[in-house]
Each structure stands twice: as C-alpha cells, then as structure tokens.
Amino acid sequence: MLVLPGVLALEFGAATQIFSTDPHYELTVCAENGPVPGSGFAITVAVGLEALEDADTVIIPGYEDIDATPSAEFLSALRAAHSRGARLVSICTGVFALAAAGLLDGRPATTHWRQAEQLRRRYPHVNVLPNQLYVDDGDILTSAGVTAGIDLCLHLIRTDLGAAAANTRARDLVAPPRRQGGQAQFIERFRPEAGGDELAPLREWMLDNLAAPLTVDDLAEHAHMSRRTFIRRFREETGTTPMAWLTDARIDRARELLEASAVPVEQVGRLTGFGAPASLRAAFHRHLGTSPQEYRTLFRHKVEPART
C-alpha cells in the first residue's frame, strides 16, 4: 500500500481492512517519507519506496492534493515496479499518481466522477471512463470512490483466489459480493458543464423543451446559425455534440422524475423526449447500466402518490 500525503481515510482504511486481515495476503504500508499526513491523522510507515522492489501488487489509495505532482523518485519507483511485472491498483484519486508516471497513456482508467474531467484535461492520452465503477486493464486497475474501491479489492480477491474467497470476504465486510466494473457510477448529472455563454440561452431553451422531438437543424435554426457553425460552436462550449448533450439532459431530467416524483415510469419517457418506454430503458441501460424501475427503487425519495 503506497500512500501519498493527504491520503483519504476511507480509501486507505477500506483497502487496509480487506487485505491486512486476509491470511492469503501480506500487506505492507509504505511511503516516500513518513509519517504521512492525512485529514486529521498521520500514518506511521516502517518502510520506504524500496518496498516496491518485491511487491506483487501496489495499491495507491486516493489523496487530497491531486494538483501536486509526486516526486521524481516516487514516479520512478512506480515505473520500475510496473516494468518488472507488479500489478498496479489505484483507488479514487490515486489514479493521478499512475497518470503522472505515464503508465496510463493509451489505456483505459477511471476515478471518482468529480475528478474525471480534470483527469482527462491534464492527461489527454488517458482513455478516461468516468461512468465505470472500476476498470481492469490487466496489470493496471483503477476505481472510483470508496465503495467502488471495495468492489475493486473484492475483484482482486476473486481474480487471485476465486469467487468463493471473494464472497466470504464480502460477507465479512457486509458488502455486495460482486458489482461489475462496467456498472455506471451514479453521477450528479450527465450533461457537461459549458465553457462558454454564447449558446447558454439555447441550452436553457433545450432544457425547457426536452419532450419535443428536437433535431440538430431545429436547434441551429433556433440559434440563428448554419448547421455547421452551430455544431462547431456547441462543441467548443460544451465539449460534445448537440444531440449527445440533449440525450444527457434528458437522462438527467428522467432521473429527477424517478427520484422525486410519483410519475409512472411509462410516462417518464414521454415527458423527457425518449418516447416509448423501451427507448427510455435502452438509454438507461446504455448510460447507467440499470433500468428506470431499478433506478427508482434505489434512489426514490418519499413522495405523495400522483393525483389523477
């Protein structure tokens, strides 16, 4: 377990609990310099970066200051461990250390959805998958936040020792025995933040007219632009296409209705522009890895029944 200053308590504690009490693993906590400060605590470590020289697996839990680049010695030790065949694992923002070492260039990876865009901007050669709970790319594995980190740790046990061992460990933790890495993180909203204001009125109009059968030509006409200019300007401001942004906004609105209203699932598709229930289900499975009804069961607030 390789910890950085500002290590996050839950990410560190969860992985430590899982592996330090499992007789099949020998866990060593190490750092470049110790003791390592966390949020309101400090971790005393007995060994330094030399522990990476014979580690089979190196786990980097999340840390606070992702703007701080680890030292050259730290990054060199990571690269050397990877070169000799060690398995590298990050939990939450620990992925920034792997990216800083250049080990994720051209490879898929994930992190907590709040930091996904920052990871993509800072390391454009990384294939960031913000909706994944965890990504297993063979010798390098990455995960989202705390509970996704637990999922990834159980996945490691399942890979190393089999399903029965992972299920036993999950029961000890009172955790789900298996959540697929491809299951989506339930992020706050799908539509991306805009980096420009020229088309802000149009985007507000789109949000007010989600149920309408809008096309790119409709939107370009409303913006008083040619189709080509409109698509280019929209991508410049949002980083995506008009129809992709519209789909994300419709999913966001559908989630709001499922969470905070008693509108029947059959009507949610019509109210959000997806149309038939089958189209809504397909969009939810594609973006969230679940169905609208399952999503409502997980996240629905207590609401009054709809009046007829």
Side-chain angles (χ1 to χ4, degrees), residues 167-184:
N167 292 344
T168 297
R169 203 73 193 91
R171 282 194 292 272
D172 291 339
L173 297 166
V174 195
R178 181 169 189 169
R179 291 197 299 169
Q180 298 291 342
Q183 180 175 326

Side-chain angles (χ1 to χ4, degrees), residues 108-129:
T110 193
T111 187
H112 192 288
W113 61 268
R114 289 189 185 276
Q115 280 76 42
E117 185 57 34
Q118 187 173 353
L119 180 65
R120 180 183 287 114
R121 287 197 305 268
R122 188 181 303 176
Y123 302 104
H125 298 298
V126 179
N127 179 20
V128 180
L129 304 176

Side-chain angles (χ1 to χ4, degrees), residues 189-192 206-207 209-212 214 216 219 234 240-255 269 272-274 279-280 282-288:
R189 71 177 189 179
F190 276 96
R191 65 182 188 276
M206 292 167 69
L207 292 176
N209 292 273
L210 293 176
L214 301 173
V216 173
L219 298 174
F234 198 96
T240 188
T241 66
M243 298 312 292
W245 192 94
L246 181 62
T247 297
D248 289 345
R250 283 170 167 162
I251 289 176
D252 289 340
R253 179 56 180 152
R255 292 165 66 203
T272 55
F274 284 110
S279 298
L280 178 65
F284 262 63
H285 277 291
R286 186 166 58 252
H287 288 78
L288 289 162

Side-chain angles (χ1 to χ4, degrees), residues 216-217 220-221 223-232:
V216 173
D217 290 332
E221 182 179 355
H224 306 292
M225 295 179 180
S226 69
R227 178 187 176 96
R228 177 177 295 182
T229 299
F230 168 67
I231 293 174
R232 176 172 55 81

Side-chain angles (χ1 to χ4, degrees), residues 81-157:
H82 180 254
S83 294
R84 66 166 182 77
R87 179 172 58 182
L88 304 185
V89 178
S90 70
I91 300 175
C92 195
T93 54
V95 70
F96 282 82
L98 295 177
L103 297 171
L104 294 177
D105 289 356
R107 304 184 68 153
T110 193
T111 187
H112 192 288
W113 61 268
R114 289 189 185 276
Q115 280 76 42
E117 185 57 34
Q118 187 173 353
L119 180 65
R120 180 183 287 114
R121 287 197 305 268
R122 188 181 303 176
Y123 302 104
H125 298 298
V126 179
N127 179 20
V128 180
L129 304 176
N131 294 336
Q132 304 269 344
L133 292 178
Y134 60 84
V135 174
D136 181 347
D137 196 37
D139 56 343
I140 298 182
L141 301 91
T142 56
S143 75
V146 181
T147 56
I150 295 174
D151 293 328
L152 179 52
C153 290
L154 292 173
H155 172 73
L156 293 175
I157 294 174

Side-chain angles (χ1 to χ4, degrees), residues 259-282:
E259 291 178 23
S261 81
V263 174
V265 173
E266 292 73 18
Q267 295 182 24
V268 171
R270 177 177 56 81
L271 294 173
T272 55
F274 284 110
S279 298
L280 178 65
R281 286 195 297 272

